[in-house]
């Protein structure tokens, strides 16, 4: 009986020391959100045309991508450096969309400037 009481009190004491703080799964966590030297994870989906990959980034990178793309389109460059794709509600949904696009083998036609798209021969 004494052993059962000790075991019960041990389990009760250890659960009271457990972390009961709120878990924010979609918040910013610098330990896991720095995904490369160029980007930090967030709910904005872009396609990096230079490195040829989809990535979910913070709003600042998304806006920077839009400005660079606009400038490159204005200069009528053959290939642009990135493409803004979509703003999603949170990081998890962005990662799910990214996984879908990768698994469906989406093309990267949006990396070609519209002037050069018109020059392409269509069969």
């Amino acid at each position: 009986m004494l052993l059962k009481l000790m075991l019960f009190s041990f389990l009760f004491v250890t659960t009271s020391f457990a972390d009961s703080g709120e878990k924010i799964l979609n918040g910013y966590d610098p330990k896991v959100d720095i995904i490369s030297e160029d980007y930090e994870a967030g709910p904005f989906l872009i396609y990096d045309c230079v490195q040829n990959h989809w990535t979910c980034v913070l709003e600042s990178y998304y806006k920077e991508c839009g400005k660079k793309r606009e400038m490159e389109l204005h200069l009528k460059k053959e290939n642009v450096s990135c493409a803004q794709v979509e703003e999603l509600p949170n990081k998890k949904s962005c990662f799910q969309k990214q996984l879908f696009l990768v698994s469906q083998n989406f093309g990267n036609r949006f990396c070609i400037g519209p002037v050069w798209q018109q020059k392409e021969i269509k069969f």
Side-chain angles (χ1 to χ4, degrees):
M1 180 69 179
L2 183 61
L3 182 60
K4 290 181 184 179
L5 183 61
M6 284 180 48
L7 183 59
F8 175 74
S9 63
F10 176 72
L11 290 174
F12 180 73
V13 170
T14 56
T15 57
S16 65
F17 289 122
D19 183 20
S20 61
E22 183 181 344
K23 304 280 191 266
I24 302 173
L25 299 176
N26 288 318
Y28 179 74
D29 184 10
K31 292 187 287 186
V32 294
D33 285 346
I34 299 176
I35 51 179
S36 75
E37 292 180 7
D38 300 326
Y39 302 114
E40 294 178 28
F44 295 86
L45 184 63
I46 65 170
Y47 186 82
D48 187 337
C49 297
V50 176
Q51 298 178 1
N52 295 320
H53 64 84
W54 299 94
T55 186
C56 295
V57 296
L58 294 174
E59 185 176 13
S60 59
Y61 297 105
Y62 185 77
K63 288 181 178 178
E64 181 184 331
C65 171
K67 288 177 185 175
K68 283 195 305 190
R69 182 179 178 85
E70 191 176 305
M71 185 175 61
E72 291 168 349
L73 291 175
H74 179 70
L75 296 173
K76 298 181 180 177
K77 288 196 169 189
E78 181 178 349
N79 294 317
V80 293
S81 60
C82 68
Q84 292 176 314
V85 179
E86 189 175 0
E87 175 185 352
L88 294 141
N90 54 40
K91 286 188 297 188
K92 183 177 180 180
S93 59
C94 186
F95 293 145
Q96 289 172 342
K97 178 79 174 207
Q98 178 185 17
L99 179 62
F100 171 77
L101 292 170
V102 170
S103 66
Q104 298 302 314
N105 197 17
F106 250 67
N108 59 356
R109 184 150 175 84
F110 41 79
C111 291
I112 301 171
V115 174
W116 290 94
Q117 285 179 355
Q118 294 172 0
K119 293 181 181 182
E120 198 171 290
I121 297 174
K122 297 178 183 174
F123 295 101

